Amino acid sequence: LIADEVATGFGRAGAMFACERESVVPDILCLGKGLTGGYLPLSATIANTRIWEAFLGTTDDKKALYHGHTFGGNPLAAAVALANIGLFESENLLEAMQPTIARMAERMVAIKKYAMVKTTRSIGLMGGIEICVDDHQTGAAVCKRARQRNVLLRPLGNVVVVMPPLVAKPNDIDLIFDAVTFGLDAA
């Protein structure tokens, strides 16, 4: 089982890794983005012992897994990753995020009252607000309007993506969702 935690790992889903939320232990875990807190590109793949040992041997054994990430092995990025992981421990970041996650969940529920909101979904500090208009321009218009309130969002089609920083506070969530509602009111 391969768990792709490039976007969801390192706290984004409300736990260190999304697979932990589901009590899943993957054979291979793919990491990226949050590894350095988004400051530098770095990725990693972690394998369990059984997988790792399957590739041990000499060059003549032809067992090597010729694998490498585009963003792997950069010493500066690795140092930033270590510092970022240290912050999770020293700042107790996962616990500190919980009030912000709760506030985002509340605001996700509240925003469903808008007629043009088809559905919302969120986990941790990742969310999407799906707009029911099918022209694929409304989501972009909502995001453009939110910029007038100094909030940068992006649409994926007609889904307005909400992914605040892990250090965001509940009042930051209110700022974001007030900007989204400002955008929805004008759309």
Side-chain angles (χ1 to χ4, degrees):
L1 174 67
I2 300 172
D4 177 351
E5 296 251 13
V6 169
T8 59
F10 290 93
R12 179 57 61 187
M16 189 55 111
F17 302 107
C19 58
E20 290 177 306
R21 293 179 60 101
E22 302 301 322
S23 300
V24 171
V25 179
D27 298 303
I28 298 174
L29 181 63
C30 302
L31 304 172
K33 298 182 183 186
L35 188 56
T36 64
Y39 285 97
L40 289 172
L42 183 69
S43 56
T45 301
I46 300 169
N48 67 21
T49 302
R50 184 178 57 81
I51 301 289
W52 170 256
E53 287 175 350
F55 294 99
L56 293 179
T58 67
T59 306
D60 293 336
D61 295 332
K62 297 182 180 176
K63 294 172 84 178
L65 177 62
Y66 293 105
H67 172 270
H69 287 287
T70 303
F71 295 124
N74 180 302
L76 181 58
V80 170
L82 289 173
N84 182 54
I85 292 167
L87 287 174
F88 273 93
E89 295 170 359
S90 67
E91 302 294 323
N92 203 10
L93 188 55
L94 291 174
E95 186 176 318
M97 291 168 47
Q98 297 312 309
T100 307
I101 291 170
R103 185 63 181 148
M104 184 158 150
E106 290 169 5
R107 293 299 300 259
M108 279 290 198
V109 169
I111 206 147
K112 288 180 185 180
K113 72 178 182 180
Y114 281 83
M116 71 173 49
V117 173
K118 182 176 183 179
T119 188
T120 64
R121 53 195 169 272
S122 68
I123 184 170
L125 290 178
M126 298 172 47
I129 302 164
E130 187 172 354
I131 310 298
C132 61
V133 181
D134 287 331
D135 66 6
H136 294 288
Q137 299 302 314
T138 306
V142 170
C143 293
K144 185 175 182 180
R145 182 103 163 132
R147 276 187 243 146
Q148 294 176 17
R149 296 285 174 97
N150 299 317
V151 173
L152 297 175
L153 299 169
R154 71 177 181 135
L156 289 175
N158 261 353
V159 176
V160 175
V161 177
V162 180
M163 290 184 66
L166 300 183
V167 295
K169 300 297 180 210
N171 62 318
D172 298 319
I173 299 302
D174 288 335
L175 177 84
I176 292 167
F177 278 84
D178 290 349
V180 171
T181 58
F182 178 71
L184 287 169
D185 287 338

